[in-house]
Amino acid sequence: MTSSDATTISAAHWAGRALSGLAILFLAFDAAIKLIPIDPVLQIMGELGYPGTVDFARFLGVVTLACLLLYAYPRTALLGAVLLTGLFGGAIASKIRIGAPLFSDILFGVYLGLFVWGGLYLRDARLRSLFPVIAR
């Protein structure tokens, strides 16, 4: 491996950490506002057709936090990414069902998924070896 290869890998690794860090920060905030829970969370859950109760909000907060912790820990990051993808899919389906705007609401789960998977891809050599998208 040449010096430029090592620099490219290092830059990709740090870019992956940055993408993952942004996703982790957002999801930690999301989990926190559901665990507290604040009134707008309960109101929006009701609008989405879910029980607008404190217990259900806390349940979703715990699920989000558990998936997030799995994603943040390197040894379980792949499992965390898969579980978060399922969580994002449910959010997307909920938004489609109520006819929410496409780019700002429905696709937000896709954007988060790109951050989660893009960050993991760039920071995990095992995942890059399974899906060698970037030519060397």
Side-chain angles (χ1 to χ4, degrees):
M1 176 164 36
T2 66
S3 174
S4 65
D5 289 341
T7 302
T8 302
I9 291 171
S10 178
H13 184 79
W14 281 103
R17 283 186 174 186
L19 284 173
S20 293
L22 288 172
I24 288 168
L25 286 173
F26 176 80
L27 290 167
F29 173 76
D30 183 59
I33 65 172
K34 289 176 181 157
L35 289 170
I36 293 175
I38 60 175
D39 287 334
V41 168
L42 300 176
Q43 179 185 3
I44 291 170
M45 285 175 38
E47 291 172 8
L48 290 172
Y50 295 106
T53 64
V54 170
D55 290 338
F56 192 73
R58 287 189 176 141
F59 167 74
L60 287 179
V62 168
V63 169
T64 302
L65 188 59
C67 295
L68 177 61
L69 291 173
L70 287 169
Y71 177 71
Y73 184 62
R75 294 184 85 164
T76 59
L78 183 62
L79 175 61
V82 169
L83 294 174
L84 284 171
T85 302
L87 192 67
F88 299 155
I92 291 168
S94 297
K95 297 290 186 163
I96 289 172
R97 192 175 53 75
I98 64 165
L102 178 65
F103 292 104
S104 62
D105 288 10
I106 293 173
L107 291 180
F108 192 76
V110 174
Y111 306 147
L112 273 176
L114 289 172
F115 271 65
V116 165
W117 282 102
L120 184 58
Y121 182 84
L122 291 172
R123 69 184 167 105
D124 191 334
R126 297 171 300 171
L127 188 58
R128 285 193 308 273
S129 69
L130 286 174
F131 302 102
V133 175
I134 301 172
R136 293 182 184 210

